[in-house]
Amino acid sequence: MFGASFLLAPSPILRIWWPDDAASGPIAAGLARGLGARDAALGLGILAAVLRKESSRSWLLAAAGADSADLVLTLTNAWPFGRRTRLVTLAGIALNVMVELYLAFDQEN
């Protein structure tokens, strides 16, 4: 869902973090679309594995790895964000990684 929103409307989503014109620049929009494509591909891979009744562990681990990289990058580059935005972003990413890892290792097969 989040990946699709980055693909379809990157600038409005980026304005959550950057309220100025930086969110509308071509580089920002291109990077957001790249992140959106990555998230959409991972989400579709998880969904396809579940629908085929196969293990989604590898897809969930890939998603956790990608989100962990996002967490590290956010931790090292979050200084321009406001305090509340940093907290919500970091907490959201960390929670997402924990859920992905839990789901990956809580599969019976």
Side-chain angles (χ1 to χ4, degrees), residues 1-11 13-15 17-18 23 26-44 62-74 77 81 89 93 96 100:
M1 178 85 119
F2 200 66
S5 64
F6 264 146
L7 277 172
L8 299 174
S11 294
I13 300 300
L14 286 174
R15 283 195 189 89
W17 294 278
W18 292 291
I27 293 174
L31 287 173
R33 283 195 175 100
L35 288 173
R38 179 199 73 187
D39 284 354
L42 290 168
L44 288 172
D67 288 339
S68 295
D70 290 346
L71 181 63
V72 169
L73 288 171
T74 302
N77 295 296
F81 303 155
T89 301
I93 296 171
N96 203 37
E100 289 163 345

Side-chain angles (χ1 to χ4, degrees), residues 32-56:
R33 283 195 175 100
L35 288 173
R38 179 199 73 187
D39 284 354
L42 290 168
L44 288 172
I46 293 167
L47 180 63
V50 169
L51 291 176
R52 287 188 304 233
K53 297 185 184 341
E54 297 174 353
S55 174
S56 59

